[in-house]
Amino acid sequence: KNQVEQSPQSLIILEGKNCTLQCNYTVSPFSNLRWYKQDTGRGPVSLTIMTFSENTKSNGRYTATLDADTKQSSLHITASQLSDSASYICVVRAYNNNDMRFGAGTRLTVKP
Amino acid sequence: DAEITQSPRHKITETGRQVTLACHQTWNHNNMFWYRQDLGHGLRLIHYSYGVHDTNKGEVSDGYSVSRSNTEDLPLTLESAASSQTSVYFCASRGNQNEQFFGPGTRLTVL
């Protein structure tokens, strides 16, 4: 069983709308959690990183939240744009080693 | 600007052939990684290296090998390509800030 589960698998929204992507993990002990954006045909690019003590972090229209107690994170996208169409990948790193666990990603499509 | 590149970007080969995928980074990072990405799966670690002459097996290392003769390069070799190795391969490097930078990927098809 994957230690990082993302939902939904795919999502279609209209331009200008908001959306929230979910990430649940079982990786322990926890070190940090990153959200990556992967455009079609490209490598993933980091959006945010969150450590144990951080609850919320923003990067422009992207806001990530972390609840380390329930082992859940979310990525909220505000006022979506066509360029937000991509896969969003949640990656969790364990504290005591360099092991990074990748979620399967959420495929977001923003339509005009 | 520093970057990470992969070549080729696309490769078609036949079952049983040896294939080498190149990865080159100019950040002078010690840590380098190879992943494969398949539909329905997260990126899975194949091999990684923490420095010159250091190599380690990842989660899905069978049928793959790497070598690290310098800081900049980590070539990935498929000893005898199999259809199950059809995938998109990503190389990444990581510096002291713990952020991984990914290459553009290589799409490999094994017929």
Side-chain angles (χ1 to χ4, degrees), chain B residues 85-103:
Chain B
Q85 293 177 307
T86 292
S87 186
V88 181
Y89 292 85
F90 288 97
C91 179
S93 72
R94 186 171 75 210
N96 294 334
Q97 298 303 315
N98 286 320
E99 178 176 352
Q100 280 200 342
F101 295 91
F102 287 85

Side-chain angles (χ1 to χ4, degrees), chain A residues 6-112:
Chain A
Q6 292 187 243
S7 62
Q9 280 190 325
S10 62
L11 182 62
I12 300 173
I13 62 174
L14 293 176
E15 187 178 13
K17 298 296 186 182
N18 305 335
C19 67
T20 300
L21 314 180
Q22 299 290 343
C23 175
N24 296 338
Y25 63 92
T26 59
V27 176
S28 182
F30 174 83
S31 175
N32 61 60
L33 182 149
R34 281 188 188 270
W35 282 94
Y36 283 85
K37 179 186 180 187
Q38 184 177 20
D39 293 313
T40 301
R42 309 286 294 271
V45 176
S46 179
L47 291 173
T48 66
I49 179 173
M50 305 196 70
T51 58
F52 186 86
S53 60
E54 296 174 305
N55 299 120
T56 304
K57 183 171 282 188
S58 292
N59 178 2
R61 294 180 296 102
Y62 300 102
T63 299
T65 65
L66 174 66
D67 185 332
D69 291 332
T70 61
K71 299 186 177 180
Q72 295 179 326
S73 177
S74 66
L75 181 69
H76 186 74
I77 304 174
T78 304
S80 61
Q81 300 176 358
L82 298 179
S83 60
D84 292 331
S85 294
S87 289
Y88 292 84
I89 302 171
C90 176
V91 184
V92 183
R93 183 174 177 183
Y95 181 78
N96 54 359
N97 58 43
N98 281 305
D99 194 14
M100 295 172 66
R101 293 291 170 172
F102 291 77
T106 292
R107 177 69 202 175
L108 174 65
T109 302
V110 180
K111 293 195 168 183

Side-chain angles (χ1 to χ4, degrees), chain B residues 11-93:
Chain B
K11 174 78 175 177
I12 300 175
T13 190
E14 295 177 340
T15 301
R17 291 196 179 267
Q18 184 181 78
V19 177
T20 297
L21 309 183
C23 174
H24 180 82
Q25 53 98 1
T26 59
W27 281 294
N28 204 35
H29 288 163
N30 285 323
N31 304 325
M32 295 184 72
F33 308 83
W34 272 105
Y35 296 89
R36 61 179 287 173
Q37 187 176 42
D38 303 289
L39 276 175
H41 292 274
L43 284 148
R44 291 182 290 176
L45 184 63
I46 305 171
H47 281 285
Y48 59 100
S49 169
Y50 290 150
V52 176
H53 302 310
D54 175 73
T55 61
N56 305 280
K57 294 181 178 181
E59 179 186 359
V60 289
S61 61
D62 287 348
Y64 304 94
S65 64
V66 293
S67 60
R68 188 87 180 273
S69 60
N70 58 54
T71 301
E72 296 80 15
D73 300 289
L74 186 71
L76 176 71
T77 298
L78 285 68
E79 306 293 347
S80 176
S83 57
S84 60
Q85 293 177 307
T86 292
S87 186
V88 181
Y89 292 85
F90 288 97
C91 179
S93 72

